[in-house]
Amino acid sequence: MKAARKTLELTDRKRVIAAFVHLVHTTESLTVLKLAANKLGTFDPGNKSAIAALLLLMKQAKFIPWSEICSLGKIGYNNEAVISTLIQFIKMKPDEIINYCLIKPDEITNYWFTLEEIYQSAILALGKIAYGNLIAIASLIDFIRRYKDDVISLHTAKALWDIDPGNAIALNTLVQILETTETPSLLDMSVAYLMAIDPGNKAAITILTERIKTSENEFFRCRAALRLRELNSGNRVAITTPPLTLLTPVVENKRTFCQTSQNFEEIPVGDENAIASLVETIETTLSEEINFFAIMDLGKIAVGNPTAIASLIKFLQINQGDAICFDAAQALWQIDPGNSVALKSLAYILETSASPSLINRVVTYLLKIDPESKTGIVISNRVATIILSQILETTQYQASEDEYLLDIAETLTNILQSEHSPEVVIALKDYLSEPHYKKSSYRYDAVFNIIWHCAENMTYPDFYKAMN
Protein backbone atom coordinates (compact mmCIF):
# COMPACT_ATOMS: atom_id res chain seq x y z
CA MET A 1 0.00 0.00 0.00
CA LYS A 2 2.85 2.40 0.82
CA ALA A 3 4.41 1.71 -2.57
CA ALA A 4 1.07 2.35 -4.28
CA ARG A 5 0.67 5.68 -2.48
CA LYS A 6 4.18 6.73 -3.47
CA THR A 7 3.56 5.85 -7.10
CA LEU A 8 0.30 7.82 -7.13
CA GLU A 9 2.03 10.84 -5.61
CA LEU A 10 4.63 10.82 -8.35
CA THR A 11 2.37 10.07 -11.34
CA ASP A 12 -0.80 12.05 -10.62
CA ARG A 13 0.31 15.04 -8.56
CA LYS A 14 -2.67 17.27 -9.41
CA ARG A 15 -5.15 14.63 -8.37
CA VAL A 16 -3.29 14.00 -5.11
CA ILE A 17 -3.25 17.74 -4.32
CA ALA A 18 -6.97 17.98 -5.02
CA ALA A 19 -7.64 15.02 -2.74
CA PHE A 20 -5.68 16.58 0.13
CA VAL A 21 -7.44 19.93 -0.38
CA HIS A 22 -10.77 18.12 -0.09
CA LEU A 23 -9.55 16.28 3.00
CA VAL A 24 -8.45 19.41 4.90
CA HIS A 25 -11.84 20.99 4.18
CA THR A 26 -13.93 18.00 5.28
CA THR A 27 -12.15 16.06 8.04
CA GLU A 28 -13.28 16.41 11.63
CA SER A 29 -10.08 14.89 13.03
CA LEU A 30 -7.44 17.38 14.14
CA THR A 31 -4.79 14.73 13.61
CA VAL A 32 -5.90 14.06 10.03
CA LEU A 33 -6.16 17.82 9.41
CA LYS A 34 -2.59 18.32 10.59
CA LEU A 35 -1.16 15.41 8.60
CA ALA A 36 -3.10 16.38 5.47
CA ALA A 37 -2.05 20.05 5.73
CA ASN A 38 1.61 19.11 6.08
CA LYS A 39 1.41 16.68 3.18
CA LEU A 40 -0.41 19.22 1.04
CA GLY A 41 2.22 21.84 1.86
CA THR A 42 4.94 19.41 0.81
CA PHE A 43 3.28 18.74 -2.56
CA ASP A 44 2.23 22.33 -3.16
CA PRO A 45 4.26 24.90 -1.14
CA GLY A 46 2.20 28.02 -0.58
CA ASN A 47 -1.11 26.18 -0.93
CA LYS A 48 -3.74 28.41 0.67
CA SER A 49 -5.77 25.51 2.05
CA ALA A 50 -2.71 24.02 3.76
CA ILE A 51 -1.77 27.38 5.24
CA ALA A 52 -5.32 28.07 6.41
CA ALA A 53 -5.49 24.65 8.07
CA LEU A 54 -2.22 25.18 9.94
CA LEU A 55 -3.30 28.65 11.07
CA LEU A 56 -6.57 27.15 12.32
CA LEU A 57 -4.66 24.47 14.23
CA MET A 58 -2.52 27.18 15.84
CA LYS A 59 -5.62 28.99 17.06
CA GLN A 60 -7.21 25.81 18.41
CA ALA A 61 -4.05 24.43 19.99
CA LYS A 62 -4.39 23.74 23.70
CA PHE A 63 -0.64 23.74 24.04
CA ILE A 64 2.34 25.19 22.22
CA PRO A 65 1.73 24.96 18.43
CA TRP A 66 5.42 24.34 17.76
CA SER A 67 5.03 21.90 14.87
CA GLU A 68 2.48 24.13 13.13
CA ILE A 69 4.87 27.09 13.34
CA CYS A 70 7.69 24.99 11.86
CA SER A 71 5.42 23.79 9.05
CA LEU A 72 4.36 27.35 8.23
CA GLY A 73 8.02 28.27 8.06
CA LYS A 74 8.42 25.70 5.28
CA ILE A 75 5.37 26.49 3.15
CA GLY A 76 4.28 30.04 3.96
CA TYR A 77 6.85 32.03 1.98
CA ASN A 78 5.78 35.67 1.59
CA ASN A 79 2.27 34.87 2.82
CA GLU A 80 0.98 37.94 4.64
CA ALA A 81 -1.35 36.01 6.96
CA VAL A 82 1.43 33.69 8.08
CA ILE A 83 3.94 36.51 8.53
CA SER A 84 1.39 38.54 10.50
CA THR A 85 0.62 35.56 12.78
CA LEU A 86 4.30 34.89 13.48
CA ILE A 87 4.96 38.58 14.18
CA GLN A 88 2.05 38.62 16.61
CA PHE A 89 3.55 35.59 18.31
CA ILE A 90 7.03 37.08 18.85
CA LYS A 91 5.48 40.31 20.16
CA MET A 92 3.77 38.42 22.98
CA LYS A 93 5.21 38.85 26.45
CA PRO A 94 6.18 35.67 28.35
CA ASP A 95 3.06 35.75 30.52
CA GLU A 96 0.89 36.15 27.41
CA ILE A 97 2.49 33.08 25.85
CA ILE A 98 1.88 31.10 29.01
CA ASN A 99 -1.80 32.08 28.92
CA TYR A 100 -2.04 31.43 25.17
CA CYS A 101 -0.65 27.92 25.60
CA LEU A 102 -2.61 27.20 28.78
CA ILE A 103 0.56 26.55 30.76
CA LYS A 104 0.51 27.09 34.50
CA PRO A 105 3.38 29.40 35.53
CA ASP A 106 4.66 26.90 38.10
CA GLU A 107 4.81 24.19 35.42
CA ILE A 108 6.71 26.09 32.72
CA THR A 109 10.13 24.92 33.93
CA ASN A 110 9.06 21.30 33.55
CA TYR A 111 7.42 21.75 30.18
CA TRP A 112 9.09 20.34 27.07
CA PHE A 113 9.38 23.68 25.35
CA THR A 114 10.88 26.60 27.22
CA LEU A 115 9.80 30.14 26.48
CA GLU A 116 13.00 30.70 24.51
CA GLU A 117 12.23 27.74 22.28
CA ILE A 118 8.71 29.01 21.70
CA TYR A 119 10.03 32.37 20.54
CA GLN A 120 12.80 30.69 18.57
CA SER A 121 10.46 28.59 16.44
CA ALA A 122 8.50 31.68 15.34
CA ILE A 123 11.68 33.71 14.74
CA LEU A 124 13.35 31.03 12.63
CA ALA A 125 10.14 30.61 10.62
CA LEU A 126 10.08 34.35 9.92
CA GLY A 127 13.68 34.16 8.78
CA LYS A 128 12.64 31.66 6.11
CA ILE A 129 9.50 33.28 4.73
CA ALA A 130 9.58 37.06 5.35
CA TYR A 131 12.34 38.21 2.99
CA GLY A 132 12.24 41.98 2.58
CA ASN A 133 9.10 42.37 4.71
CA LEU A 134 9.50 45.72 6.47
CA ILE A 135 7.14 44.90 9.34
CA ALA A 136 8.97 41.63 10.03
CA ILE A 137 12.32 43.43 9.92
CA ALA A 138 11.12 46.06 12.40
CA SER A 139 9.65 43.37 14.68
CA LEU A 140 12.90 41.41 14.80
CA ILE A 141 14.88 44.57 15.54
CA ASP A 142 12.49 45.36 18.39
CA PHE A 143 12.83 41.83 19.72
CA ILE A 144 16.65 42.10 19.76
CA ARG A 145 16.39 45.31 21.77
CA ARG A 146 14.10 43.64 24.29
CA TYR A 147 16.25 40.52 24.76
CA LYS A 148 19.89 41.62 24.59
CA ASP A 149 22.81 39.25 25.14
CA ASP A 150 20.66 36.14 25.26
CA VAL A 151 20.68 33.00 23.13
CA ILE A 152 17.38 34.02 21.56
CA SER A 153 18.92 37.28 20.32
CA LEU A 154 21.48 35.21 18.39
CA HIS A 155 18.74 33.40 16.48
CA THR A 156 16.91 36.68 15.97
CA ALA A 157 20.02 38.33 14.53
CA LYS A 158 20.49 35.47 12.06
CA ALA A 159 16.80 35.58 11.04
CA LEU A 160 17.05 39.37 10.63
CA TRP A 161 20.09 39.00 8.36
CA ASP A 162 18.29 36.33 6.31
CA ILE A 163 15.35 38.62 5.52
CA ASP A 164 17.46 41.81 5.35
CA PRO A 165 21.00 40.93 4.19
CA GLY A 166 23.55 43.48 5.33
CA ASN A 167 21.51 44.65 8.31
CA ALA A 168 23.98 46.36 10.68
CA ILE A 169 21.97 45.60 13.81
CA ALA A 170 22.07 41.87 13.06
CA LEU A 171 25.83 41.90 12.55
CA ASN A 172 26.53 44.11 15.57
CA THR A 173 24.39 41.87 17.79
CA LEU A 174 26.44 38.80 16.93
CA VAL A 175 29.72 40.65 17.48
CA GLN A 176 28.53 42.13 20.78
CA ILE A 177 27.53 38.72 22.16
CA LEU A 178 30.90 37.35 21.08
CA GLU A 179 32.55 40.16 23.04
CA THR A 180 30.57 39.75 26.28
CA THR A 181 29.39 36.16 26.68
CA GLU A 182 30.95 33.81 29.23
CA THR A 183 29.00 30.81 27.92
CA PRO A 184 30.82 28.46 25.50
CA SER A 185 27.60 27.47 23.70
CA LEU A 186 26.79 31.13 22.93
CA LEU A 187 30.36 31.62 21.77
CA ASP A 188 30.00 28.66 19.40
CA MET A 189 26.67 29.87 18.04
CA SER A 190 27.76 33.45 17.47
CA VAL A 191 30.86 32.32 15.56
CA ALA A 192 28.82 29.85 13.48
CA TYR A 193 26.36 32.57 12.48
CA LEU A 194 29.15 35.07 11.77
CA MET A 195 30.86 32.53 9.52
CA ALA A 196 27.57 32.08 7.67
CA ILE A 197 26.87 35.77 7.10
CA ASP A 198 30.32 37.44 7.18
CA PRO A 199 33.26 34.99 6.94
CA GLY A 200 36.51 36.53 8.08
CA ASN A 201 34.84 39.30 10.08
CA LYS A 202 37.81 41.33 11.41
CA ALA A 203 36.03 42.49 14.56
CA ALA A 204 35.23 38.89 15.50
CA ILE A 205 38.84 37.80 14.96
CA THR A 206 40.12 40.66 17.11
CA ILE A 207 37.64 39.96 19.89
CA LEU A 208 38.38 36.23 20.03
CA THR A 209 42.12 36.85 20.01
CA GLU A 210 41.81 39.24 22.94
CA ARG A 211 39.48 36.97 24.91
CA ILE A 212 41.88 34.05 24.61
CA LYS A 213 44.61 36.24 26.08
CA THR A 214 42.54 37.66 28.94
CA SER A 215 40.04 34.99 30.00
CA GLU A 216 40.82 33.21 33.26
CA ASN A 217 38.43 30.37 32.40
CA GLU A 218 40.51 27.58 30.86
CA PHE A 219 37.52 25.87 29.27
CA PHE A 220 36.37 29.12 27.68
CA ARG A 221 39.85 29.88 26.36
CA CYS A 222 40.08 26.46 24.72
CA ARG A 223 36.68 26.91 23.14
CA ALA A 224 37.54 30.39 21.87
CA ALA A 225 40.75 29.05 20.32
CA LEU A 226 38.84 26.33 18.47
CA ARG A 227 36.41 28.88 17.07
CA LEU A 228 39.17 31.34 16.16
CA ARG A 229 40.89 28.64 14.11
CA GLU A 230 37.64 28.31 12.15
CA LEU A 231 37.45 32.04 11.48
CA ASN A 232 41.17 32.56 10.88
CA SER A 233 43.01 29.29 10.36
CA GLY A 234 46.49 30.82 10.44
CA ASN A 235 45.96 32.85 13.61
CA ARG A 236 49.04 32.41 15.82
CA VAL A 237 47.15 32.80 19.12
CA ALA A 238 44.63 30.15 18.11
CA ILE A 239 47.32 27.72 16.98
CA THR A 240 49.40 28.06 20.14
CA THR A 241 46.43 27.58 22.50
CA PRO A 242 46.19 23.78 23.02
CA PRO A 243 42.81 22.03 23.04
CA LEU A 244 41.64 20.71 26.38
CA THR A 245 42.49 17.01 26.60
CA LEU A 246 41.92 16.31 30.26
CA LEU A 247 39.03 16.54 32.64
CA THR A 248 39.55 17.35 36.27
CA PRO A 249 38.75 13.99 37.90
CA VAL A 250 35.49 13.81 39.82
CA VAL A 251 34.08 17.15 38.68
CA GLU A 252 31.37 18.25 41.10
CA ASN A 253 30.32 21.49 39.41
CA LYS A 254 27.68 20.69 36.78
CA ARG A 255 28.22 23.82 34.70
CA THR A 256 31.99 23.32 34.66
CA PHE A 257 31.59 19.70 33.59
CA CYS A 258 29.12 20.53 30.81
CA GLN A 259 31.44 23.24 29.48
CA THR A 260 34.37 20.82 29.59
CA SER A 261 32.32 18.11 27.93
CA GLN A 262 31.86 20.23 24.84
CA ASN A 263 35.59 19.93 24.12
CA PHE A 264 35.44 16.17 23.66
CA GLU A 265 34.50 16.56 20.02
CA GLU A 266 38.12 17.64 19.53
CA ILE A 267 39.71 14.74 21.47
CA PRO A 268 41.06 11.79 19.44
CA VAL A 269 39.47 8.40 19.88
CA GLY A 270 41.42 6.37 22.39
CA ASP A 271 42.86 9.22 24.49
CA GLU A 272 43.79 7.25 27.63
CA ASN A 273 43.88 10.23 30.02
CA ALA A 274 40.47 11.50 28.95
CA ILE A 275 38.97 7.99 29.15
CA ALA A 276 40.40 7.50 32.65
CA SER A 277 38.92 10.82 33.80
CA LEU A 278 35.51 9.96 32.38
CA VAL A 279 35.51 6.50 33.94
CA GLU A 280 36.41 7.96 37.33
CA THR A 281 33.64 10.53 37.00
CA ILE A 282 31.03 7.87 36.14
CA GLU A 283 32.08 5.63 39.03
CA THR A 284 32.16 8.35 41.70
CA THR A 285 29.64 11.09 40.94
CA LEU A 286 26.06 10.96 42.16
CA SER A 287 24.84 13.55 39.66
CA GLU A 288 22.69 12.08 36.87
CA GLU A 289 23.36 15.14 34.71
CA ILE A 290 27.12 14.77 34.99
CA ASN A 291 26.84 11.02 34.40
CA PHE A 292 24.85 11.67 31.23
CA PHE A 293 27.57 13.84 29.70
CA ALA A 294 30.37 11.54 30.87
CA ILE A 295 28.63 8.48 29.41
CA MET A 296 27.94 10.19 26.11
CA ASP A 297 31.57 11.36 25.82
CA LEU A 298 32.87 7.91 26.69
CA GLY A 299 30.79 6.48 23.86
CA LYS A 300 32.54 8.86 21.46
CA ILE A 301 36.18 8.30 22.36
CA ALA A 302 36.52 4.89 24.08
CA VAL A 303 35.88 2.43 21.23
CA GLY A 304 37.23 -0.99 22.23
CA ASN A 305 38.70 0.29 25.50
CA PRO A 306 38.39 -2.55 28.09
CA THR A 307 38.38 -0.17 31.08
CA ALA A 308 35.52 1.88 29.62
CA ILE A 309 33.58 -1.27 28.70
CA ALA A 310 33.97 -2.66 32.21
CA SER A 311 32.90 0.66 33.74
CA LEU A 312 29.72 0.86 31.69
CA ILE A 313 28.87 -2.77 32.41
CA LYS A 314 29.28 -2.09 36.12
CA PHE A 315 27.09 1.01 35.82
CA LEU A 316 24.31 -0.98 34.10
CA GLN A 317 24.47 -3.71 36.72
CA ILE A 318 23.99 -1.17 39.52
CA ASN A 319 21.42 1.02 37.76
CA GLN A 320 18.53 -0.63 35.92
CA GLY A 321 15.54 0.42 33.90
CA ASP A 322 15.67 4.22 33.71
CA ALA A 323 16.61 6.74 31.02
CA ILE A 324 20.27 7.02 32.05
CA CYS A 325 20.57 3.25 31.55
CA PHE A 326 19.37 3.64 27.99
CA ASP A 327 22.15 6.19 27.43
CA ALA A 328 24.70 3.87 29.06
CA ALA A 329 23.55 0.90 26.96
CA GLN A 330 23.88 2.97 23.79
CA ALA A 331 27.39 4.09 24.77
CA LEU A 332 28.36 0.51 25.61
CA TRP A 333 27.10 -0.72 22.24
CA GLN A 334 29.04 2.09 20.50
CA ILE A 335 32.35 1.10 22.05
CA ASP A 336 31.65 -2.66 22.07
CA PRO A 337 29.15 -3.59 19.31
CA GLY A 338 27.21 -6.76 20.13
CA ASN A 339 27.72 -6.49 23.88
CA SER A 340 25.16 -8.76 25.55
CA VAL A 341 24.90 -6.61 28.69
CA ALA A 342 23.82 -3.65 26.57
CA LEU A 343 21.11 -5.73 24.90
CA LYS A 344 19.91 -7.18 28.21
CA SER A 345 19.69 -3.71 29.69
CA LEU A 346 17.58 -2.52 26.76
CA ALA A 347 15.34 -5.57 27.13
CA TYR A 348 14.90 -4.88 30.85
CA ILE A 349 13.82 -1.29 30.10
CA LEU A 350 11.18 -2.60 27.69
CA GLU A 351 9.85 -5.02 30.27
CA THR A 352 9.69 -2.60 33.19
CA SER A 353 9.46 1.03 32.04
CA ALA A 354 6.20 2.96 32.30
CA SER A 355 7.46 5.77 30.07
CA PRO A 356 6.06 5.59 26.52
CA SER A 357 8.71 7.93 25.15
CA LEU A 358 11.55 5.87 26.64
CA ILE A 359 10.06 2.62 25.36
CA ASN A 360 9.68 4.08 21.90
CA ARG A 361 13.31 5.28 21.94
CA VAL A 362 14.52 1.84 22.99
CA VAL A 363 12.58 -0.01 20.30
CA THR A 364 13.66 2.49 17.64
CA TYR A 365 17.29 2.02 18.68
CA LEU A 366 16.98 -1.76 18.67
CA LEU A 367 15.51 -1.68 15.18
CA LYS A 368 18.51 0.41 14.14
CA ILE A 369 21.25 -1.77 15.59
CA ASP A 370 19.68 -5.13 14.77
CA PRO A 371 17.05 -4.71 12.02
CA GLU A 372 17.15 -8.34 10.90
CA SER A 373 15.91 -9.74 14.20
CA LYS A 374 13.53 -6.80 14.55
CA THR A 375 13.95 -6.21 18.28
CA GLY A 376 17.41 -7.49 19.11
CA ILE A 377 18.94 -10.80 20.03
CA VAL A 378 17.71 -11.09 23.60
CA ILE A 379 14.14 -9.82 23.36
CA SER A 380 11.23 -11.25 21.45
CA ASN A 381 8.81 -9.49 19.16
CA ARG A 382 6.01 -10.63 21.44
CA VAL A 383 7.47 -8.76 24.47
CA ALA A 384 7.72 -5.47 22.60
CA THR A 385 4.29 -5.95 21.05
CA ILE A 386 2.52 -6.60 24.35
CA ILE A 387 4.26 -3.73 26.12
CA LEU A 388 3.49 -1.18 23.44
CA SER A 389 -0.11 -2.30 23.07
CA GLN A 390 -0.56 -2.11 26.85
CA ILE A 391 0.71 1.46 26.81
CA LEU A 392 -1.81 2.43 24.17
CA GLU A 393 -4.52 0.62 26.09
CA THR A 394 -3.97 1.72 29.68
CA THR A 395 -1.70 4.75 30.05
CA GLN A 396 -3.46 8.00 30.91
CA TYR A 397 -1.87 10.71 28.80
CA GLN A 398 -1.99 14.44 29.24
CA ALA A 399 -3.18 16.32 26.19
CA SER A 400 0.35 17.59 25.53
CA GLU A 401 1.60 14.00 25.13
CA ASP A 402 -1.14 12.64 22.90
CA GLU A 403 0.60 13.36 19.62
CA TYR A 404 3.41 11.03 20.66
CA LEU A 405 0.98 8.14 20.42
CA LEU A 406 1.27 8.29 16.64
CA ASP A 407 5.01 7.65 16.89
CA ILE A 408 4.44 4.70 19.22
CA ALA A 409 1.83 3.33 16.83
CA GLU A 410 4.29 3.52 13.94
CA THR A 411 6.95 1.74 15.97
CA LEU A 412 4.51 -1.00 16.88
CA THR A 413 3.53 -1.60 13.24
CA ASN A 414 7.23 -1.82 12.31
CA ILE A 415 7.86 -4.72 14.70
CA LEU A 416 4.48 -6.43 14.76
CA GLN A 417 4.40 -9.95 13.37
CA SER A 418 1.20 -11.29 11.85
CA GLU A 419 0.69 -14.04 14.45
CA HIS A 420 0.30 -11.38 17.17
CA SER A 421 -2.14 -9.21 15.23
CA PRO A 422 -5.35 -10.78 16.64
CA GLU A 423 -4.43 -10.08 20.29
CA VAL A 424 -3.51 -6.49 19.44
CA VAL A 425 -6.81 -5.94 17.65
CA ILE A 426 -8.74 -7.40 20.60
CA ALA A 427 -6.82 -5.18 23.03
CA LEU A 428 -7.38 -1.95 21.09
CA LYS A 429 -10.69 -2.28 19.22
CA ASP A 430 -12.80 -0.65 21.95
CA TYR A 431 -10.90 2.62 21.43
CA LEU A 432 -12.47 3.01 17.98
CA SER A 433 -15.51 4.67 19.48
CA GLU A 434 -16.92 8.19 19.49
CA PRO A 435 -16.29 8.84 23.22
CA HIS A 436 -12.61 7.97 22.84
CA TYR A 437 -12.35 10.08 19.69
CA LYS A 438 -13.75 13.11 21.51
CA LYS A 439 -11.41 12.54 24.43
CA SER A 440 -8.29 12.23 22.27
CA SER A 441 -8.29 12.23 18.49
CA TYR A 442 -4.57 11.39 18.55
CA ARG A 443 -5.21 8.21 20.53
CA TYR A 444 -8.09 7.32 18.21
CA ASP A 445 -5.94 7.80 15.10
CA ALA A 446 -3.03 5.89 16.60
CA VAL A 447 -5.29 2.94 17.37
CA PHE A 448 -6.87 3.18 13.92
CA ASN A 449 -3.43 3.04 12.27
CA ILE A 450 -2.46 -0.06 14.24
CA ILE A 451 -5.71 -1.89 13.56
CA TRP A 452 -5.54 -0.95 9.88
CA HIS A 453 -2.04 -2.45 9.75
CA CYS A 454 -3.35 -5.63 11.39
CA ALA A 455 -6.24 -5.84 8.94
CA GLU A 456 -3.81 -5.71 6.03
CA ASN A 457 -1.87 -8.64 7.46
CA MET A 458 -4.75 -10.88 8.61
CA THR A 459 -7.28 -13.01 6.79
CA TYR A 460 -10.78 -11.59 6.74
CA PRO A 461 -12.25 -14.34 9.01
CA ASP A 462 -9.50 -13.80 11.60
CA PHE A 463 -9.93 -10.02 11.55
CA TYR A 464 -13.73 -10.31 11.78
CA LYS A 465 -13.41 -12.66 14.75
CA ALA A 466 -10.98 -10.32 16.56
CA MET A 467 -13.21 -7.29 16.01
CA ASN A 468 -16.41 -8.99 17.25
Side-chain angles (χ1 to χ4, degrees):
M1 179 170 285
K2 290 182 179 179
R5 289 196 193 110
K6 192 67 177 178
T7 302
L8 180 61
E9 291 171 4
L10 294 173
T11 58
D12 200 347
R13 184 170 171 273
K14 289 184 178 180
R15 187 178 176 186
V16 170
I17 291 173
F20 275 116
V21 169
H22 176 75
L23 185 58
V24 299
H25 283 284
T26 57
T27 183
E28 295 182 1
S29 167
L30 294 180
T31 304
V32 173
L33 180 63
K34 181 176 181 176
L35 295 174
N38 283 324
K39 199 73 172 178
L40 180 56
T42 301
F43 287 129
D44 188 22
N47 185 283
K48 293 182 179 179
S49 294
I51 290 172
L54 290 170
L55 290 173
L56 177 64
L57 286 167
M58 282 185 67
K59 293 179 181 179
Q60 294 186 348
K62 295 180 180 179
F63 290 85
I64 300 166
W66 180 81
S67 60
E68 287 81 5
I69 291 174
C70 292
S71 296
L72 288 170
K74 296 176 182 178
I75 70 172
Y77 183 78
N78 222 14
N79 183 285
E80 291 293 337
V82 175
I83 293 172
S84 176
T85 299
L86 294 175
I87 289 174
Q88 182 182 6
F89 211 76
I90 67 170
K91 284 185 176 181
M92 287 184 184
K93 296 178 181 179
D95 59 334
E96 292 174 330
I97 288 184
I98 290 173
N99 291 332
Y100 177 90
C101 299
L102 301 181
I103 306 171
K104 296 179 181 178
D106 59 343
E107 293 178 349
I108 187 65
T109 55
N110 298 319
Y111 201 73
W112 179 264
F113 298 105
T114 64
L115 284 172
E116 282 187 348
E117 289 170 326
I118 300 168
Y119 283 132
Q120 179 182 326
S121 60
I123 287 166
L124 295 181
L126 270 181
K128 296 176 182 177
I129 67 172
Y131 185 86
N133 186 289
L134 297 179
I135 299 176
I137 292 169
S139 298
L140 292 177
I141 290 174
D142 178 67
F143 191 92
I144 288 174
R145 288 170 177 164
R146 282 190 287 148
Y147 298 92
K148 291 182 179 179
D149 302 328
D150 196 285
V151 62
I152 194 64
S153 60
L154 278 171
H155 299 305
T156 310
K158 178 59 166 59
L160 178 58
W161 184 277
D162 288 340
I163 66 174
D164 186 26
N167 188 288
I169 293 175
L171 187 59
N172 291 339
T173 298
L174 296 174
V175 172
Q176 182 181 358
I177 292 175
L178 191 63
E179 188 173 20
T180 59
T181 186
E182 296 295 334
T183 306
S185 60
L186 291 186
L187 176 85
D188 289 347
M189 216 178 304
S190 58
V191 171
Y193 281 162
L194 280 168
M195 289 182 67
I197 70 177
D198 188 24
N201 183 279
K202 293 182 179 180
I205 293 172
T206 301
I207 291 169
L208 281 173
T209 302
E210 186 63 25
R211 299 209 67 184
I212 291 170
K213 293 178 180 178
T214 59
S215 177
E216 296 180 358
N217 186 318
E218 182 183 0
F219 308 123
F220 190 89
R221 289 179 63 250
C222 293
R223 208 67 190 168
L226 293 172
R227 301 290 79 87
L228 181 55
R229 284 202 287 270
E230 294 175 358
L231 278 172
N232 186 216
S233 59
N235 189 284
R236 183 178 178 182
V237 174
I239 294 172
T240 56
T241 303
L244 185 67
T245 57
L246 293 176
L247 279 175
T248 302
V250 198
V251 181
E252 294 297 340
N253 182 285
K254 292 183 182 180
R255 182 176 180 183
T256 300
F257 186 90
C258 295
Q259 290 175 350
T260 307
S261 177
Q262 294 174 0
N263 290 277
F264 270 80
E265 64 189 54
E266 312 294 337
I267 296 178
V269 172
D271 187 301
E272 292 290 342
N273 291 325
I275 291 172
S277 294
L278 288 170
V279 167
E280 184 172 355
T281 298
I282 292 170
E283 293 182 352
T284 57
T285 185
L286 298 177
S287 167
E288 185 170 311
E289 184 177 356
I290 291 178
N291 269 330
F292 168 77
F293 282 102
I295 287 167
M296 291 296 98
D297 288 330
L298 203 59
K300 297 174 186 176
I301 68 170
V303 176
N305 185 284
T307 303
I309 293 170
S311 178
L312 288 174
I313 289 175
K314 180 180 178 181
F315 183 89
L316 287 170
Q317 289 172 339
I318 296 173
N319 305 277
Q320 294 186 337
D322 53 11
I324 193 69
C325 292
F326 174 55
D327 300 318
Q330 285 188 90
L332 180 55
W333 188 273
Q334 283 179 271
I335 66 176
D336 186 26
N339 188 286
S340 61
V341 175
L343 282 175
K344 289 177 181 177
S345 179
L346 295 171
Y348 184 79
I349 293 172
L350 279 184
E351 293 171 355
T352 60
S353 177
S355 167
S357 60
L358 179 58
I359 289 175
N360 201 45
R361 288 171 62 201
V362 171
V363 172
T364 301
Y365 184 67
L366 284 167
L367 289 171
K368 177 182 176 181
I369 65 176
D370 193 13
E372 293 301 320
S373 66
K374 292 288 186 181
T375 55
I377 297 171
V378 298
I379 66 171
S380 70
N381 178 273
R382 180 179 174 79
V383 170
T385 299
I386 292 175
I387 291 173
L388 286 174
S389 63
Q390 284 177 339
I391 287 173
L392 283 171
E393 181 182 2
T394 61
T395 300
Q396 297 299 315
Y397 287 85
Q398 297 177 358
S400 59
E401 297 175 311
D402 275 353
E403 188 173 356
Y404 202 77
L405 288 170
L406 296 173
D407 295 329
I408 297 176
E410 183 176 358
T411 300
L412 178 57
T413 58
N414 284 335
I415 65 174
L416 183 61
Q417 294 179 357
S418 57
E419 60 263 34
H420 305 310
S421 293
E423 63 189 273
V424 173
V425 172
I426 292 171
L428 301 180
K429 64 181 181 181
D430 290 341
Y431 287 93
L432 292 181
S433 62
E434 186 175 352
H436 284 291
Y437 174 80
K438 290 182 177 180
K439 184 177 180 181
S440 171
S441 64
Y442 285 118
R443 180 191 293 278
Y444 180 94
D445 290 330
V447 170
F448 180 87
N449 291 344
I450 294 170
I451 291 180
W452 181 269
H453 172 83
C454 293
E456 290 182 313
N457 292 277
M458 295 171 65
T459 64
Y460 177 77
D462 287 342
F463 181 72
Y464 181 84
K465 181 180 179 181
M467 287 292 291
N468 292 280

